[in-house]
Amino acid sequence: MKNLYLFAALLFLAACSKDSADVSNEISEDAIIWTGSPITFSKAAMTDANLEENQDRISENVWITRATGGGQIYNAKTEDSADKDESPEGTLWAVGDIDDIENLSFQRFRAAVGNPQNVVGKELVLFLEDDDIYLSVKFTAWGSQGVGSFAYERSTEN
């Protein structure tokens, strides 16, 4: 009986310790996939992340920006600053092409891309969790030295 309790406890711990970066790859039937003409968003160095013009307001729920102090991107709609492990809130990311969406592994930003400074040139797919929207993103710039700049091209609504 003691072994049974120990086994149950180990199963419980294994289930609870699942990495928050592990996310189901199942695409819902209601998902919207944006493959419209690409647009470019950029945030210049040393500009205020709290201003609308320095946020890519992709949807009502997701406003991507980056603080002047550097670090990674975050969702200005729901966050005041970036959390290395969770930001941007309300989003999941995968390295790959949107045409291969069914085979991609979606994770939090840093888990998906590694060091954000190395994200430039990578083909990514962004999932907006609350909106059930998928879109392509390709970073074209990532400022260093704490200037908070970045730029990317992303797909738009069809």
Side-chain angles (χ1 to χ4, degrees):
M1 187 65 138
K2 185 176 182 180
N3 286 341
L4 182 61
Y5 286 124
L6 180 59
F7 180 71
L10 288 173
L11 282 176
F12 175 77
L13 287 173
C16 291
S17 67
K18 183 178 180 188
D19 187 346
S20 66
D22 294 337
V23 179
S24 170
N25 292 334
E26 189 172 323
I27 310 299
S28 79
E29 288 182 20
D30 297 329
I32 300 164
I33 300 174
W34 286 0
T35 56
S37 300
I39 63 166
T40 299
F41 175 81
S42 62
K43 180 184 175 290
M46 306 306 290
T47 56
D48 187 350
N50 295 311
L51 298 177
E52 183 175 346
E53 62 263 23
N54 297 321
Q55 303 166 353
D56 183 13
R57 295 192 172 191
I58 301 171
S59 75
E60 190 175 299
N61 300 307
V62 177
W63 305 350
I64 301 294
T65 193
R66 186 172 177 225
T68 304
Q72 72 183 42
I73 56 176
Y74 65 96
N75 182 356
K77 173 70 176 189
T78 62
E79 302 173 278
D80 294 326
S81 62
D83 177 305
K84 178 177 162 181
D85 298 317
E86 297 297 322
S87 294
E89 283 183 356
T91 68
L92 295 173
W93 301 74
V95 176
D97 190 281
I98 203 158
D99 292 333
D100 195 30
I101 198 168
E102 296 288 339
N103 298 312
L104 300 179
S105 177
F106 289 88
Q107 303 174 305
R108 298 292 172 210
F109 181 72
R110 188 172 288 255
V113 305
N115 185 337
Q117 290 180 324
N118 299 329
V119 75
V120 175
K122 288 185 180 177
E123 297 285 337
L124 304 171
V125 177
L126 165 58
F127 175 54
L128 308 180
E129 293 178 285
D130 291 338
D131 301 299
D132 204 10
I133 295 172
Y134 293 84
L135 58 139
S136 297
V137 177
K138 183 175 183 179
F139 281 81
T140 57
W142 189 272
S144 58
Q145 307 296 324
V147 298
S149 63
F150 71 101
Y152 57 65
E153 296 174 347
R154 68 166 174 84
S155 57
T156 58
E157 191 170 4
N158 303 344

